[in-house]
Amino acid sequence: MRTSVGIVGGGPAGLLLARLLHRAGIDSVVLESRDRSYAERRQRAGILEQATADVLREAGAGARLDREGMVHDGIELRFDGRAHRVDFPSHTEGRRVVVYAQTEVVKDLIALQLADGGPLLFGAEARAVEGADSARPLVRYTHEGRERTLACDYVVGCDGFHGIARGAVPEALRTTYERTYPYSWLGILAEAPPAYDELIYAHSPRGFALASMRSPTVSRLYLQVPNGTDAADWPDGRIWDELDARFALRAEPGRRFVRGPVTQKSVLPMRGWVTEPMRHGRLFLAGDAAHIVPPTGAKGLNLAVADVVVLARALEQWYAHGSPAALDAYSGTCLRRVWRAQHFADSMTTTLHTEPDQSPFETRLQLARLDRIASGGHAAAELAADYTGLPLTTTG
Ligand code: FAD
Ligand code: DHB
């Protein structure tokens, strides 16, 4: 098989790239190692920056998002037993976020691609990208028990953190930056109406907790837990008790979460990780294949979308005008945003979580940082701007 752009990985990055290229008249093939139902059920992110939602609309994937997505104008920070709201539109000239699960984004993009788009092959596992620095790169993959080859003008590795594409960049030419955090998240999905209208990020002496949602009847909740935690050690009752304790407000001592059946439970490690550059010859890396942020602040999915928007525009300039300038600028343009997001995610993470053996001095500093934000002014404006995201057209 031969195509213009071979896309390895059918997560949000790969699927959206295929849509954007299709709309620009550029053909592509998406290879996804998992089956469709697995790809559509994988529980991950939930918050779309305004620019991410706008791109999905532009790509034709906005109808259900606009019907079912929940627009949020702010978040709550909870610390020292008190609640403080950070408003987004008033600090950002009107920017907001949309709560719409990654599972739904993926379902919408898959349906569009299958109805009207280039090939999207499930159960197609890429084994290697060859000739990345030649004029004729190719992807070797297996599908329906057979070894196959996809010949391309360009290959894009959208195959996530565990993917194979970046293995085609010689080790001597790439630099990896990594930070691991000394705690993880226990994440649950529960058939229980969200207890609050907006997301709550809670700092507490018992550790961080986050209350999010997936719909008016489904809650998504996270608890900071030690690295190495086994989800089986957290029966449902223990989780709800811990959530009640970490979200406790001095002004409303009796308030409890509405409990409901816990339908999913998993432990997520927290890591910041970047590989540079995001291009080698005719191979480009996008999304989690090139960078991971710790989840506090919900940047991972939004960064993946920003990468493929930059790449789709650059490929358009190449195919329409033969101009390589935007392709040459791709890695630098994306990495600038990636490091700004990495900085934001790290500061949210370290301000809100409790380190093992954290000193009382450090706790007071965290509370002082949170107090600065809660007081409004520049610190609140900065958080609102970072949370709602950089405009996608921005290169600086
Ligand atoms: P992925 O979604 O990882 O997609 C990669 C795709 O490539 C997958 O479909 C995979 O099956 C496929 N693939 C892999 N190898 C191959 C191969 N060899 N051949 C073919 N296909 C292959 N972000 C947040 O903002 N908030 C969160 O709460 C949050 N929770 C997360 C929880 C988990 C467990 C993980 C892993 C990530 C989470 N993230 C979260 C991050 C966010 O989900 C990712 O940033 C986002 O999925 C990135 O999209 P992607 O398309 O780059 O990569
Ligand atoms: C969600 C995840 C996040 O990491 C976050 O900061 C906010 C919300 C979520 O899964 O809903």
Side-chain angles (χ1 to χ4, degrees):
M1 193 159 40
R2 167 146 205 105
T3 187
S4 299
V5 181
I7 301 175
V8 183
L15 291 167
L16 179 62
L17 179 62
R19 289 314 301 157
L20 295 173
L21 294 177
H22 178 72
R23 290 175 83 85
I26 301 167
D27 63 292
S28 70
V29 172
V30 181
L31 305 175
E32 167 56 47
S33 56
R34 302 293 193 153
D35 63 35
R36 180 177 179 181
S37 93
Y38 183 93
E40 291 184 341
R41 280 199 320 255
R42 199 164 24 195
Q43 196 49 237
R44 289 185 170 177
I47 306 292
L48 308 183
E49 293 173 5
Q50 176 144 337
T52 300
D54 289 344
V55 167
L56 290 169
R57 291 184 188 106
E58 252 173 64
R64 206 158 63 89
L65 164 69
D66 285 331
R67 271 200 319 275
E68 297 176 18
M70 297 174 280
V71 175
H72 280 202
D73 281 352
I75 54 167
E76 186 182 307
L77 293 177
R78 199 168 275 201
F79 58 94
D80 203 18
R82 284 175 295 132
H84 309 265
R85 182 168 185 272
V86 180
D87 186 71
F88 296 152
S90 60
H91 285 300
T92 59
E93 297 179 353
R95 297 214 299 267
R96 308 174 146 81
V97 296
V98 185
V99 178
Y100 190 65
Q102 182 167 327
T103 45
E104 308 313 299
V105 172
V106 165
K107 277 184 210 159
D108 295 345
L109 290 170
I110 288 176
L112 277 173
Q113 187 68 9
L114 292 178
D116 153 48
L120 160 57
L121 306 184
F122 290 102
E125 182 172 358
R127 294 299 172 94
V129 176
E130 291 177 7
D133 55 355
S134 75
R136 303 209 156 271
L138 55 86
V139 184
R140 292 198 186 282
Y141 67 102
T142 52
H143 190 229
E144 293 168 344
R146 298 176 58 181
E147 305 277 328
R148 295 175 192 266
T149 308
L150 177 64
C152 321
D153 298 344
Y154 291 98
V155 177
V156 186
C158 296
D159 49 350
F161 183 60
H162 300 287
I164 55 93
R166 71 174 172 277
V169 185
E171 286 218 14
L173 299 182
R174 62 180 141 114
T175 309
T176 300
Y177 301 88
E178 181 164 22
R179 168 169 294 174
T180 52
Y181 293 82
Y183 32 74
S184 303
W185 279 10
L186 174 69
I188 66 159
L189 206 60
E191 305 266 337
Y196 304 91
D197 295 338
E198 292 183 335
L199 270 61
I200 305 179
Y201 290 80
H203 177 282
S204 94
R206 307 172 69 98
F208 170 72
L210 169 60
S212 181
M213 59 194 76
R214 287 291 176 268
S215 75
T217 56
V218 177
S219 295
R220 176 76 167 150
L221 298 151
Y222 299 98
L223 288 170
Q224 175 187 345
V225 291
N227 284 345
T229 293
D230 182 350
D233 292 337
W234 283 83
D236 300 359
R238 182 179 177 200
I239 294 175
W240 291 111
D241 289 346
E242 192 61 29
L243 287 164
D244 285 334
R246 293 192 193 183
F247 284 96
L249 281 177
R250 234 174 285 148
E252 296 179 39
R255 183 151 179 183
R256 300 276 178 269
F257 277 85
V258 178
R259 301 185 176 196
V262 174
T263 53
Q264 282 194 31
K265 203 182 287 185
S266 58
V267 174
L268 325 173
M270 310 265 284
R271 180 189 279 122
W273 176 89
V274 183
T275 183
E276 297 189 13
M278 289 169 59
R279 174 193 187 171
H280 175 59
R282 287 174 170 260
L283 168 68
F284 293 85
L285 301 175
D288 278 19
H291 42 74
I292 302 277
V293 290
T296 333
K299 287 292 158 216
L301 170 61
N302 294 292
L303 277 179
V305 166
D307 287 351
V308 298
V309 169
V310 174
L311 186 55
R313 287 180 188 164
L315 286 166
E316 264 183 79
Q317 289 195 22
W318 169 254
Y319 282 104
H321 310 292
S323 160
L327 285 175
D328 291 344
Y330 169 75
S331 179
T333 302
C334 291
L335 285 168
R336 199 153 177 204
R337 174 190 290 273
V338 166
W339 280 108
R340 284 179 66 165
Q342 203 68 255
H343 174 256
F344 170 67
D346 181 74
S347 70
M348 287 284 280
T349 300
T350 54
T351 301
L352 287 161
H353 291 70
T354 307
E355 299 253 339
D357 305 322
Q358 178 164 306
S359 71
F361 191 91
E362 180 55 35
T363 303
R364 303 300 292 178
L365 285 180
Q366 288 181 320
L367 293 171
R369 273 181 229 131
L370 290 164
D371 191 39
R372 268 184 85 226
I373 300 168
S375 308
H378 293 306
E382 187 178 70
L383 187 146
D386 284 340
Y387 198 99
T388 55
L390 298 171
L392 278 174
T393 47
T394 275
T395 53

